Amino acid sequence: FPFSSEEAFRDSVEGSLFDLGKIYEQVNYNDMIYPHPVVRGNFNWAGGAKDTEVIWEPSPEGRWYVSWLQTAERRNQKTRHRSGHWTPSHANLGVGGCDSYDLDATVDGRGSKGACHFYNKFSMQAVSNMFVAEYAERPPLAAIFYEDVLMAAVFFGYPILIENNKYGIARYFESRGYLEYLLDRPSHLGGASSKSKTKGIPSNSQEVIQAHAQSIEAYIHNHVGENETGTYGNMYLNRTLEDWISFKVNNRTKYDLSISSGLCLLAAQVKETVKKQEDFSSREFFRRHKHWDRDSL
């Protein structure tokens, strides 16, 4: 007994990789919110001057869909890494995930889109466990896509996890002085090979593919749809929710938003390393020598 034509033709919950019931609950809830919390627009350099300040400009033609903006005092904060490249300042608050491409648009316009998400991790300083920005476009030049992602990363101050089989974006970030905005391969997804400093993760690794799908599954279970208290999740990006509905783990190539959102969730699992405090007490700092009395020998 569907209430709409869309509901009548929805996929069956049975046999789906994810919990479609919770996804549909969230979609229906999002459609009833007024005004809708998602705003469309673009990130741009102020005055067109690169490497200055990134600003958010709403536009009905925008390539980004945003449900939360970084606070004014935290925007555009970056520091110099010892390598000389810029590094993001808020990796403890959030991360990004990017499903990139290397070739410019083809003559017939076919080809997968470039997709990117930004995600707030659990913290006491900002809204938690929430996808805050979504991108799924294929500009005529790949460099336009790379710059769109770079500007958003600078605005939020979040590092990004990419798939390392499409390395054009890494070369672009390096040429622009932002290589440290790209995350190294997480140790929990690489085994012995994680010792290398290659940016991103392999897309053809079965371990990564399974961990990617499981991360989305867990997020839907915990943060999408109606929960036990009768409230709903804060996942307001309907295009991503609809992509999750159709996602097939054995045929992932056309699900750009599912790939980038899952990369976000994998990046969010990386724990911040805490540097051990040095002990400069006299007992540890000064070398101890044993004194021998010559008369006792």
Side-chain angles (χ1 to χ4, degrees):
F1 300 99
F3 290 100
S4 64
S5 59
E6 291 82 4
E7 186 176 354
F9 289 98
R10 283 175 177 170
D11 294 336
S12 170
V13 175
E14 296 180 3
S16 173
L17 182 63
F18 303 136
D19 189 338
L20 296 187
K22 293 183 72 67
I23 296 177
Y24 288 139
E25 286 178 355
Q26 187 70 49
V27 171
N28 290 336
Y29 173 73
N30 293 346
D31 289 341
M32 292 187 296
I33 300 176
Y34 183 83
H36 201 274
V38 176
V39 178
R40 190 174 180 179
N42 289 311
F43 293 101
N44 294 306
W45 294 108
K50 292 183 177 181
D51 305 319
T52 54
E53 178 188 7
V54 178
I55 58 175
W56 165 252
E57 296 180 331
S59 168
E61 306 286 323
R63 295 184 289 273
W64 284 95
Y65 290 76
V66 172
S67 58
W68 178 87
L69 290 173
Q70 183 65 276
T71 57
E73 64 273 12
R74 294 199 190 105
R75 296 175 187 174
N76 295 285
Q77 290 189 2
K78 56 185 186 291
T79 57
R80 284 287 186 187
H81 189 264
R82 61 180 178 272
S83 65
H85 286 255
W86 291 110
T87 186
S89 297
H90 304 308
N92 61 316
L93 299 180
V95 290
C98 181
D99 180 25
S100 183
Y101 61 91
D102 289 341
L103 299 177
D104 296 334
T106 56
V107 175
D108 58 7
R110 291 184 296 180
S112 61
K113 296 180 179 180
C116 183
H117 283 82
F118 285 92
Y119 176 82
N120 280 1
K121 300 191 288 188
F122 175 79
S123 74
M124 301 300 293
Q125 303 176 53
V127 60
S128 297
N129 303 315
M130 178 181 179
F131 285 95
V132 298
E134 169 198 272
Y135 183 108
E137 300 287 341
R138 192 179 178 94
L141 297 176
I144 298 175
F145 167 65
Y146 301 156
E147 189 70 19
D148 281 344
V149 174
L150 189 153
M151 287 186 289
V154 171
F155 181 88
F156 284 105
Y158 296 168
I160 304 170
L161 184 63
I162 63 172
E163 288 187 323
N164 60 20
N165 63 316
K166 303 165 188 172
Y167 218 63
I169 190 169
R171 290 191 290 269
Y172 186 86
F173 270 57
E174 183 176 18
S175 68
R176 295 278 285 105
Y178 292 86
L179 185 61
E180 299 304 325
Y181 271 75
L182 300 181
L183 289 167
D184 294 330
R185 181 172 177 171
S187 58
H188 70 288
L189 294 175
S193 62
S194 65
K195 294 179 181 179
S196 65
K197 290 298 181 181
T198 302
K199 297 295 182 180
I201 58 175
S203 60
N204 57 354
S205 164
Q206 285 302 314
E207 180 184 6
V208 170
I209 291 173
Q210 292 301 318
H212 174 272
Q214 290 168 2
S215 67
I216 299 177
E217 182 180 29
Y219 179 80
I220 293 171
H221 177 77
N222 294 322
H223 304 292
V224 173
E226 187 176 8
N227 56 38
E228 296 177 353
T229 63
T231 58
Y232 286 81
N234 54 12
M235 175 48 174
Y236 303 122
L237 303 171
N238 276 358
R239 293 196 306 173
T240 300
L241 291 168
E242 292 166 0
D243 208 61
W244 289 345
I245 291 172
S246 304
F247 181 72
K248 301 293 187 295
V249 71
N250 295 323
N251 184 19
R252 312 185 320 147
T253 54
K254 62 180 180 179
Y255 302 106
D256 308 302
L257 288 170
S258 294
I259 299 300
S260 60
S261 59
L263 290 172
C264 264
L265 296 172
L266 289 177
Q269 296 173 6
V270 178
K271 296 182 179 180
E272 294 294 314
T273 56
V274 179
K275 292 184 178 180
K276 184 179 179 181
Q277 295 293 328
E278 298 290 343
D279 185 357
F280 291 107
S281 65
S282 59
R283 182 173 63 86
E284 296 289 336
F285 190 71
F286 294 104
R287 183 176 295 175
R288 302 178 69 180
H289 298 276
K290 190 169 184 179
H291 175 72
W292 294 95
D293 186 353
R294 293 182 59 187
D295 297 335
S296 64
L297 297 176

